[in-house]
Structures are given as C-alpha cells and as structure tokens.
Amino acid sequence: MELLLALTIGILFAVGVYMILARSLLRVILGLSLLTHSVHLLLLTMSGLKAGAPPLLGEKADSYVDPLPQALILTSIVISFGVTSLYFVLAYKSYQKLGTDDTEQMRREADE
Amino acid sequence: MLHFFLLLPFLLAAMLPLLNKLTKELHPGWLAMAAPAFMLFYFLSRIPEVSKGRSLTASVPWIPSLGINLDSNLDGLGLLFALLISGIGALVVLYSISYLHPRKEAVTRFYVCLLLFMGAMLGVVLSDHLIVLYGFWELTSITSFLLIAFWHKREVSLAGALKSLLITSFGGLAMLAGFLLLGLAGGSLRVSELIDSSAVLAASPLLLPAMLLIALGVLTKSAQFPFHIWLPDAMEAPTPVSAYLHSATMVKAGLYLAARLMPIFAGQAPWYILLTTSGLITLLYGAFRAIKQTDLKALLAYSTISQLGLVLTLLGLGSVYPTGSTHEYAVYSTAAAAAALFHLVNHAAFKGALFMTAGIVDHETGTRDLRQLGGLLRFMPLTFTVALAASLSMAGVPPFGGFMSKELFFGSALDAMRSGSWGTAAFLIPVIAWTASAFTFVYSAIFVWRTFGGSRRGEQADASHAAVQEAPHKQPNDARHATMRAPVQETPQDARYETLQETPHEAPLSMLLSPMLLAAAALIFGLFPGSIGPNVLQPALDSLQPGAAEAFTELSLWHGWTPELLMTLGVFIVGGALFLIAPRVPLLNRPLRVLFSWNGVFKGGLRNADRASERLTSLYLTGSMRHYASYVFLFLIVAVAVTTFMTGGFRISFSGMAPVTVYEGIAVAALIAAALAVPFAQSRMMAIILTGTIGYLVVLFFVLFRAPDLALTQMIVETVSVTLFLLCFYHLPALKREKIALRTKLINGLIAAASGIVMTVVALGAFSGRAFPSISDYYLKNSYELAGGKNVVNVILVDFRGFDTMLEIVVLGIASYAIYGVIGLKWPEEKVVERNGLREREFRLIYEDARSNDVILQTLSKVILFLILTFSFYILFAGHHEPGGGFIGALMTSSALVLLSIAFGAKTVRSALPLNFRIVTACGIAVALLTGIGSFAFNMPFLSHAFGYVYLPIFGKNELATAVLFDLGVYLTVVGITMTIILAIGRDK
C-alpha cells in the first residue's frame, strides 16, 4: 500500500508542479492545492499506514496509528485553505484590474 | 565604570532630542557637552593609575556562545586616544555652539550624530576584542557618513559622504577578514591574548594574508595613497566635523590600529615595508598637492593626508624589530614609535586649531578661497595669532610641539638609513622626509600669508568677472554665504570690502576659545615636553613596544647641532624660497594635470560595478513567475536528492507495508486518473471539479488510514473551497489553451517529473527507515494523564503544541484581513439605502438577485441549518475526546452559514447575524491568548492547561479542561476568518 501511495504522491506532486509552472493564475492556484494534497499524503505515509486504531484513546486498542502527522496535516489543511483563498482573491482582483490572468502578459505590461 | 563612560555618549545621543524639547532656549550643544566633559574628567583622573603600567579592564558578555564579549581595556595607548577623543570632542562641541545657528540648522541631529560618533570612536580605542573593535570601526564610518552629509540637500555633500563610506567600509570589510584569519591563526580574537601568542602567529601561513587585509583597513581609514581621495571630498562636512573627524579622531583610527597591532606584527617585513612605503608616498604626495590648493579646507585636507602619512611612516619604522629584539638599531625603532605618538598628539592640536580658524574665516567672510582672501590681519588679529601659532607648529618651527616631533622624525629617518635594513633604497627615507617637510613649510606659510597677510584680492566686482568659477572646493562652505562669492582675480589693489555685505570682524570669543586652547597646547607640548611625555606618551609607548626604554625624559628644545637640526634649517631656507617663488612657478600653483586620476578610477569602478551588478541581476530576476517557481523547484530537487543520497536516506524496504485491498486499489487509480486529467482540462468548471474530486478522494484516504479528524476537516474545507471557487467562477476568464513553445513545455514537464520522482523517493525513504526515534509514543502515552484528553490529535493541537496553533490562527487572521483589504469593499450603509430610492434599487438588484429562488432548497436548508449548527457545537466541545475540535466545528458552522447565504442571500445572513466577523476573529485570538496568559496567574508557563473532573447528574463523570476554552478561541477565530473571506468575496461585484 505504501508503495502505491508513494507513487500517487509522486504523480500528484508532479502534476502540481507542472500546473504551477503554467501561465494562467487559475492553473497556478489549482496546482498549489494539488501540491498540498500530495504533501499531506506524504506526511501520512511517512509513519506507516493502518498500523493500528485511530488515535482516540477511547477505542482501548492495543496500538494506534501515529497521531503526530495527523496533527501536522490538520494544521496544514486549515492554513492552506487560508492561503488558497488569499491567492484566489489576489488572482481575481488582479484580473479585474489588469484584464488578464496570464502572468507573462502581466509582466510585459509591467515593463511598459 | 569603563563601560559606563563607553555608553555615555550613546545614552546622551538617545536622550538628546527629548532633553532639547525640555530646554527650548538652550543650544543643544551645551547638553551634548556633558558627554565629552565627563569623559575627559574621568580619563584625566585615570592617568596616574595607567601611567604606573596598570591597565583597566572590564568585560560584559555579548555573544558568549561565540566567545565574543565586550572586553574593554584601558591601557596607555587607549588612554592617549581616549583623551584625544574626549578633549578635542569637548573643544569641538564648544566651537560648534557658536558655529551652528540653533534655529537655522538642524542642530539636534548634528549633536546626536556627533555623540554617536564619539561613542563609536571611544569603542574602537577601548575594545580588546577584535570583533567588537570592528563593530565600532564600522559605526565610525556610518556616523561619519551622516556627519559629512549633514547638509544633505547639497549634492556634493552626499557624494563626498558616499565616497568616504564606500572606501572606508571596503577597507573595513577587508580588515574583518584579516581579523578572522588572525583569530584562526592565533586561536583568539582578543588583542591581549594574540600578543602573547605572537610566536605561534609568526609561524602561521595565515599571517601574511591577515596582515595584508588588515593593512587595507588601516590605509583606507587613514586616507593613505591611493585611498586618500575620500578625505578632500569629506571637507563638505561642517567645519566642526572636519576639525574633529578629519584631524583628530576618525582618520587616526587607522593609525591606532597599526599602533595597537604593533606588538603582534613587529618584525614582519611585509607589514613594516608596506606601512613605511605607503606612509612615505602619502607624506610626499599629500604635501605636494596641498601647496596647489586654493581652498582653505582643501589645503588642510591634503595637509592632513600628508601628516597621516608621516605618522604611518614612523609606525612602520617602529615595527621593524620584533619586541624585545637586541639588535643595535632596535632602540631607534623605539624612538620612531615614540615620535609617532608625539606627532599624533601635536597634529591633533595644531590641525584642530587650523580647521577651526579656517571655519572662523569662512564664517566671518563667507569664503574659503585663498585667491579672494588676504589682509584679514587688520580685522581678525586674534584669529591670526591662533592660525600663526598652529601653522608654525605644523611647519616644525621651534619652540612648538611640531618642531620636536619633526626633529624626532628626521632622526628616525636617518637611523633607518643607517640601520641597513632598507637596502639600497634606504637613502630615500630621509630624502622624502626632508622634501615633504619643505613642502609642509610652504603650505603652512601659504595658509597664514594668503589669508591674513598682504591685501585682500579680488574684491573688485566687475561685471566681466561675474562668471563665478565653480568647483567643489571653491564653493563657500556655508550655504548662508552663497551670495558673497566674489569673482576670482588677482588685483594688487588695496583692501576694499564693498562687495561684502558686512565688514569682516573678529569672531566671538566663544568661537575663538577652542582654537586658542589648542594652539596653546601646541606651544606647551614644545616648550614643556615633560607635560605629557612621561605620564601619557610613555605608557602609550609601552603598549606599542612592551618593555620599551624611556623615550621622553631627555626631550628638550635644544639638543645641540645635530644633523636633524641642520635638516630643519635647510627646510626653512628652501621652504621659504619655494613660498616666495610659488606664485610664479606653474608647477607649484596650478592644479595638478594628470593623465591618470585616482578619482577617475574610483568613479569608473563604481559605474562599472553598478552596470555589472545590474546585468547580473537581470540574468535571473526576469520578472517571470515561471522562472522563479522553477528556481524553487530545481533547488528543491537538487537539495533533497543530494541530501537523500549523501545521508543514506535512499533505501527502500518493502517489509511492513500494509496490504492493498481491491477497494483501495480503485481509489488510488481514481485519484491518479483525476490528477493526470487536470492539466488537460479545457474549461474552468472541469478543472475545478477535477481538483475537488481529488480533494474528496484524499478524504477517502484519510478515512482508510484511520484519521477521522483529518477526514472531517478536509471534507468541510473542500466544500467551502469549492463554494469559494464557484463564487469567483464567473469573474475569472475562460481557461484558454495556453500557447507555449514545445521546449518550454518539455522543460516544465521535466522539472515536474523530477520533483515527482524525488517526492516518491522521499516518501519511500521516510517510511523505510527512521533516523531518530519518534516522539509520537510520548503523546499517545501522556495524552490522557497529562492533558486529560482522549483524542490525541486534538490534544497535540490545543495542548502539547498549543503555541503553534495559537500562531497559526494569527496567520489565518492576517490572511483573512488581507483578503478583506484586497477586495477593498465598503459595506453598504443602511441609511444611504433608505434615503435614496435609486441606490436602494441598485442594492436590491445586486443582493436580491443573488438569492436562490429554489423553494425546496430554502425549506430544507432551514432544517439542515440547525442540524449542522447543533452538530458543529457538539464537535467543538467533544473534540477533546472524540474526533472534532475547534477547527472542524468552526468550519462546519461556516458551511452552515454559507448554505444560508446561498439559499436566502447574503443580506439575510447579515440581518440574522449582525456580526462583524473581523471582530469575531479578533475576539477568538484574544480568547486563545487570554487562556494562554491565564496560566501565568498560576505561575505556570504560557499555555499550560489545567483539567479536572466534574460529576454532573446525568452525564456522570465529566472532565473540564481549559483546553476547551482555548479551542473555543480557535473556533471563534476560524468562524470569523471563513465568514470574512466568503462574505468579502461574495459581496464584491
């Protein structure tokens, strides 16, 4: 399972990077969220998968899965929500102001 | 105590603006006077102790981990300089009080800078630690920049200040490198310890580069050829600054360093040859250039360059023999070092006085141009007397101090020739010394005679000469006198002053007092060398050459018909003759015409460096986001790949992997397929839906891998994000097919693929082996005992790592405010809407249209809303034991509100919940912060949580933790943030 997931992480990350290198701001933002998903899965995979019960002590299980990556990911999900929203608003406002969401075109206009 | 006086100028500088406000009428100079006056008093009182060979030390830890302390050491040399800094400092402040008008000039700024400089300079001469010394050294450069650029509205001032800063800080950086090499070689950065290990140093291969780099610092700071070019331009500073920085203190910092390091570098041929040679070149060059100057301050600047060269030559000659050498000429080396110190003091006295008289002349007549001045003797007899005395000392005429030190200089030069350590070029030393002294005599005479003697020239202001020649040095110092520039013309007519607005008159006594005292000192040092010899200069000499012989006891004005005296007489005769013929010999009175100018080299270098760095920067700062992103990812690939291989992280073990079920296999396949489809999506909607699909599939994985908290959070975040995307949906342009060159596409693909591979390797490597034991067991074990929570993930967030969460919600809060700011939305005012029918219709158009007309949705959402809200509260408070918590609860509440606004329009939400969500955010952060601070009341560290068990009638044993309170803060913050974002975007049309 870990091997399979490692592969998935790689693909998600690669697609995310490819999108970030694109010119359209919308693509960049979507790429960023793919990148985030990939990193979340990476954190989860690191500690091994399905090694025990969920980290709820009420379950009274013999072993639990690692709670630490989960805490990290939870933080990351919320932060990336804030960041994505900010990027989204920036992209959308700059489109309103500049009439384009193409970064190369914005750059050319900035030079002029 | 020592540190207190080191701090005093800085403290006073910090308080001066405030003190000045309190004492409105008082000239701030009187306030600033306190620092040098107290310091002078203190250092004078230390003379008896230090002259007995004891040095005062003090140490305050600064960066103990690097072994850097504020080690202060007041020995003979330090005390000599401290006396110069505080003594001349006090006189300069006194002088400046009459020089700078308190209402016409920014005097407070002036004194703040001056005090800072004073403190920095004192730090240089008192630091025992080389790094601390370097710090103060650069501080003198910076404060001197501020002082030179005091009249910052004038371009020449700025240019001069920048030049001095660039050259001296260039040398300073080289010096820092030298210090570090010296520290590597000697095992310590403390001067006192380095002196003890000079034998180890002498054998080290690092000594030579260290010496050369430090010499660069010395030469630049002390304005030695070819780095001298900054000093004449620094004359744009107000004259009190020139008198202080450019005669007595800052330019002598280089000499101080050469003297301070003499016990370490003595006997090293490269060191003393370099010092002596550049000293001699500068001595001759500066003196020769000084003759040609027509501006009083420029003349003094070149004269200072020359005199600094003289002292540096003597320090070089003093470093020829290592400490304790029994060579027959070693004693003459001591004499040279003694002469260096003596001349240093003499120069500070007479040059200070000369700068001040130049300032007085400028102040009273409005010009410093020697071609216009003359005949001032009648008007300013006192100024003339001071200038005469100081000039005589400079020219080396008995019975002034300058005579004594120049005799010692000639003696050292002759001995250096006889000693045989200078080979065939030895005869050059006394020859250059003598020639330069003759030039010195000439420019001293020019300074006095052209200013005060004869008649005033050029006062005939006829129209044909009205074209004023403008060159930086010919401008009057003071902008206030700009109207008084007279045409330049040699007219042998009698003094007439019609062109001046007022007749020149004697300066007020307050202005004359300082130069008079300095000129008197110049005389006293000559008549009674014993006044400073044994008690001040001898201890300083001991610092230069430990165990040096008594050098100042036998000094007297008359010492027989020695060769030195004959040389001095020759100087007077030849110098006098040169002065008389100077006006008729172009070589002596025309500006130097050179093919190769060091100023040109400096300017060209600066321009080329500018251009080169611009070209270099534009190579990689292209302004293209794609380029920047690829730098980041390329670095990530290289750094991660290299570290993984270097540290043996690249190992994959397939043991211990969880089995794959068919169901999971399908989920993985779906995720990969969705991911691969995203780049090919042709429409916005498709791309957003695909990304959302990936998000929900990730939720599935969270469920599969036993992460209920994550699954809940991710699901709601995904929902809210998709809502957000759809809110902005209509405002974004259609996803165009990007026209990108195949090559670019290929490069992007390669970068993407490589980073994907690196991530896969990292994932496998991280799973397969651990470098360190995990701390997770600690959390699992102690979650209930220490924090009273059964949901370990939530306990980590609110308790174990509560501080992280605290800062996280702050970051989120900032992001939401940023979004609010970017949208720049003004919430519509109700009153405006009611008053203005038209506005109301517009308002309705915007907001009513946004509401859904779907009756089923409206009916259902009313019910669902309360279900969601109730559940979200449950999740918030159960979070400590069951999946949930502040984040999830808040997101759920927000999604309920989003649903409400979709069904009934944003206006309904606003009237149902008349809250300013930005304030909700702030309240949430405040609650979390207060919970954290609350633990201080119980004498616990920030964010310590307490919990207890409460028995409630129905619920049985319940646990109550302050962590829940903290989670409530998180909840409020996140609700505030999410709603701010959604409403801000939703309202902006």
Side-chain angles (χ1 to χ4, degrees), chain B residues 660-677:
Chain B
V660 189
T661 64
V662 183
Y663 181 56
E664 286 161 359
I666 294 171
V668 168
L671 185 60
I672 292 176
L676 289 177

Side-chain angles (χ1 to χ4, degrees), chain B residues 112-114 116-118 120-121 134-150 161-162 164-166 168-169 221 245 250:
Chain B
V112 167
C113 293
L114 197 72
L116 287 177
F117 172 80
M118 201 178 282
M121 198 61 213
Y134 168 76
F136 283 119
W137 179 283
E138 292 295 44
L139 196 57
T140 63
S141 293
I142 294 166
T143 45
S144 104
F145 170 83
L146 293 174
L147 284 168
I148 296 170
F150 178 64
L162 189 63
S164 82
L165 183 70
L166 283 176
T168 53
S169 57
K221 196 79 166 179
L245 271 65
M250 188 175 96

Side-chain angles (χ1 to χ4, degrees), chain B residues 116-134:
Chain B
L116 287 177
F117 172 80
M118 201 178 282
M121 198 61 213
L122 209 61
V124 168
V125 301
L126 294 183
S127 302
D128 191 37
H129 199 286
L130 286 177
I131 298 298
V132 180
L133 189 150
Y134 168 76

Side-chain angles (χ1 to χ4, degrees), chain B residues 811-867:
Chain B
V811 169
L812 278 174
I814 294 170
S816 78
Y817 290 150
I819 289 172
Y820 183 76
V822 168
I823 294 288
L825 184 70
K826 290 232 164 60
W827 300 88
E829 300 263 334
E830 293 282 350
K831 284 175 199 161
V832 178
V833 175
E834 280 163 6
R835 221 188 302 138
N836 192 326
L838 193 73
R839 288 292 287 272
E840 190 178 12
R841 262 185 57 204
E842 276 177 353
F843 180 78
R844 280 190 187 285
L845 267 177
I846 295 166
Y847 289 97
E848 300 290 292
D849 284 4
R851 88 195 273 188
S852 164
N853 290 322
D854 192 335
V855 183
I856 300 172
L857 177 67
Q858 288 187 0
T859 321
L860 277 180
S861 60
K862 274 180 203 163
V863 183
I864 293 170
L865 179 74
F866 286 104
L867 281 176

Side-chain angles (χ1 to χ4, degrees), chain B residues 532-741:
Chain B
I532 52 165
N535 46 14
V536 177
L537 293 178
Q538 186 64 38
L541 185 60
D542 288 336
S543 316
L544 264 60
Q545 302 193 339
E550 292 285 316
F552 295 99
T553 42
E554 291 164 18
L555 282 183
S556 61
L557 267 177
W558 175 252
H559 37 265
W561 289 102
T562 53
E564 293 93 313
L565 190 62
L566 294 176
M567 282 171 82
T568 304
L569 285 178
V571 164
F572 294 164
I573 294 163
V574 175
L578 280 177
F579 170 65
L580 290 177
I581 62 164
R584 278 179 289 277
V585 182
L587 182 68
L588 294 179
N589 61 18
R590 294 275 166 247
L592 199 57
R593 300 243 177 265
V594 278
L595 295 170
F596 178 78
S597 114
W598 289 105
N599 264 318
V601 173
F602 174 80
K603 273 183 207 145
L606 208 58
R607 208 170 35 239
N608 285 328
D610 242 16
R611 260 191 232 140
S613 57
E614 201 182 305
R615 225 171 288 153
L616 185 69
T617 321
S618 58
L619 272 184
Y620 60 92
L621 284 182
T622 52
S624 155
M625 209 166 89
R626 190 179 78 84
H627 289 164
Y628 299 157
S630 25
Y631 301 152
V632 172
F633 289 118
L634 283 175
F635 180 79
L636 178 91
I637 293 164
V638 172
V640 173
V642 168
T643 340
T644 311
F645 281 100
M646 296 277 282
T647 55
F650 185 71
R651 55 180 167 207
I652 297 168
S653 90
F654 291 94
S655 63
M657 284 197 177
V660 189
T661 64
V662 183
Y663 181 56
E664 286 161 359
I666 294 171
V668 168
L671 185 60
I672 292 176
L676 289 177
V678 174
F680 301 100
Q682 293 302 326
S683 71
R684 291 169 293 181
M685 188 60 120
M686 194 63 192
I688 289 171
I689 287 177
L690 277 173
T691 317
T693 310
I694 293 168
Y696 286 118
L697 278 169
V698 170
V699 173
L700 200 60
F701 282 106
F702 287 152
V703 174
L704 287 175
F705 301 139
R706 279 113 208 223
D709 287 277
L710 298 188
L712 276 170
T713 318
Q714 178 73 46
M715 185 141 81
I716 304 165
V717 162
E718 209 53 48
T719 312
V720 178
S721 308
V722 170
T723 318
L724 192 73
F725 284 165
L726 293 177
L727 273 174
C728 294
F729 184 75
Y730 291 104
H731 308 294
L732 279 176
L735 212 53
K736 281 178 300 212
R737 205 196 175 86
E738 293 189 354
K739 287 192 206 94
I740 300 172

Side-chain angles (χ1 to χ4, degrees), chain A residues 2 50 57 66 74 88 92, chain B residues 658 664 713 725 776 790 988:
Chain A
E2 279 83 355
K50 296 199 275 185
L57 298 180
D66 197 339
L74 191 69
F88 215 90
Y92 147 64
Chain B
E664 286 161 359
T713 318
F725 284 165
S776 304
K790 287 180 190 158
D988 187 50

